[in-house]
């Protein structure tokens, strides 16, 4: 009786196996795309283990016509162990590709939306369309409303910024998302009229009427003040006055702030503390400053002094080393610097000087522009053809058989 049950069990398993294989062949013949998609999802799901990534963020810009697909970028980011990404929009393809990835996202709401975002119903509709469908699977932690608005010399944009931020925040509150998602905006370093010495940092006088209520809002909702800081710009403009070693975090004498006796050995920390000083001058010591962009171009126009792959490698590798050490600035030594590196890829369609298209750590094909010690891997892109389709189907068939065999062995 026992032997018969075993034989019957084997026969039943074989019958089930043959039936399943027949179904697989039928479905593959008509829906190979779905199987390839399923295989991709299974692969990504397996790769995206829950872990603590490197404590820095990276800007993922997409002003280019040759970038890899978001699903491939997701695997690159995983291999780099990067834990935070900043977008300049709310691309649904990117947010979907990073589902269940444990990567935190700052998503962007462009300057062109500021006027319409003043309308509470439109702000709520935007969140319902761009945040709610993804937030259960993708960690959206912040909405960056506008980018470098005060640097645009556009009075309408300037006046719309704070009302738009308030409207977006109120919509998050109404939808029960304000505890998960905060609201901020990123500023150009040019909003400061003075940054030297750091303790004398001040905002431009013409902007104070807008920045003061903005700071009050940050304080109220406990959101960070974002600044885009590029020591490269300062060096490029005055290479005969500014030490290259000072801007590249290389050994140098540095300088001491005469007002505080604090010593600075690099320009970025001095810039951060200058922003803190400017905020304090307007009555706030309860707002954290974070760097939403910093980087160094690997190529530039003839007049863009210092834009070389060697300098870019030194700047970013030294910066990442300091981030890893959880360093604070001289004025805030207990607050580790919080930085988003610019940028993940070179973007070939960005306007402006050559440097604008050469800030990436990676070329679009996944090769590093220079070596800063990150071991990243961009999977090869599959180009559809009959032979590729046959190969894909074989891989999917083999994978499915292995999974099925494992499941049957457990029963």
């Amino acid at each position: 009786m026992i032997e018969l049950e075993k034989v019957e069990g084997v026969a039943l398993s074989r019958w089930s196996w043959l039936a399943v294989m027949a179904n697989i062949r039928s479905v593959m013949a008509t829906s190979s795309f779905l199987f390839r998609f399923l295989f991709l999802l299974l692969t990504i799901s397996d790769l995206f283990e829950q872990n603590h990534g490197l404590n820095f963020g990276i800007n993922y810009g997409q002003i280019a016509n040759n970038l890899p697909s978001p699903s491939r970028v997701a695997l690159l980011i995983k291999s780099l162990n990067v834990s935070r990404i900043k977008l300049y929009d709310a691309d649904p393809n990117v947010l979907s590709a990073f589902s269940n990835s444990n990567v935190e996202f700052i998503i962007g709401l462009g300057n062109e939306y500021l006027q319409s975002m003043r309308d509470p119903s439109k702000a709520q509709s935007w969140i319902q369309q761009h945040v709610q469908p993804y937030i259960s699977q993708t960690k959206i932690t912040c909405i960056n409303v506008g980018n470098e608005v005060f640097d645009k010399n556009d009075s309408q944009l300037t006046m719309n910024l704070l009302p738009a931020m308030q409207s977006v925040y109120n919509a998050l509150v109404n939808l029960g998302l304000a505890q998960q998602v905060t609201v901020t905006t990123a500023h150009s370093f040019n909003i400061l009229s003075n940054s030297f010495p750091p303790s004398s940092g001040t905002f431009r006088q013409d902007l104070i009427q807008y920045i003061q209520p903005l700071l009050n809002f940050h304080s109220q909702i406990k959101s960070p003040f974002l600044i885009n800081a590029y020591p490269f710009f300062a060096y490029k403009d005055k290479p005969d006055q500014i030490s290259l070693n000072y801007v590249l975090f290389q050994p140098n004498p540095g300088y001491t702030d005469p007002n505080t006796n604090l010593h600075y050995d690099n320009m970025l920390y001095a810039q951060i503390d200058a922003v803190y000083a400017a905020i304090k001058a307007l009555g706030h010591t309860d707002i954290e400053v974070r760097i939403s962009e910093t980087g160094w171009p690997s190529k530039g126009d003839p007049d863009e002094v210092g834009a070389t792959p060697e300098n870019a490698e030194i700047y970013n590798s030294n910066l990442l080393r300091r981030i890893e050490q959880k360093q604070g600035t001289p004025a805030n030594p207990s607050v580790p610097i919080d930085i988003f590196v610019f940028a993940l890829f070179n973007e070939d369609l960005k306007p402006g000087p050559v440097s604008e298209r050469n800030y990436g750590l990676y070329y679009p094909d996944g090769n590093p522009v220079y070596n800063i010690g990150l071991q990243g891997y961009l999977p090869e892109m599959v180009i559809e053809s009959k032979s590729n389709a046959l190969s894909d189907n074989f891989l999917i068939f083999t994978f499915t058989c292995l999974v099925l065999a494992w499941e049957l062995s457990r029963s």
Side-chain angles (χ1 to χ4, degrees), residues 200-211:
S200 298
T202 51
F203 292 117
R204 282 168 38 193
Q205 191 64 36
D206 62 309
L207 295 178
I208 288 179
Q209 61 178 314
Y210 305 108
I211 294 177

Side-chain angles (χ1 to χ4, degrees), residues 21 24-25 27-29 31-43 382 384 388-404:
M21 290 303 101
I24 289 173
R25 292 190 187 96
V27 174
M28 285 175 62
S31 307
S32 62
F33 169 79
L34 292 177
F35 270 90
R36 283 196 296 276
F37 184 65
L38 174 61
F39 180 67
L40 177 62
L41 289 180
L42 288 169
T43 303
V382 176
E384 189 63 49
N388 279 335
L390 181 61
S391 176
D392 288 349
N393 287 343
F394 176 75
L395 287 172
I396 295 164
F397 173 79
T398 303
F399 176 79
T400 307
C401 288
L402 290 172
V403 171
L404 183 57

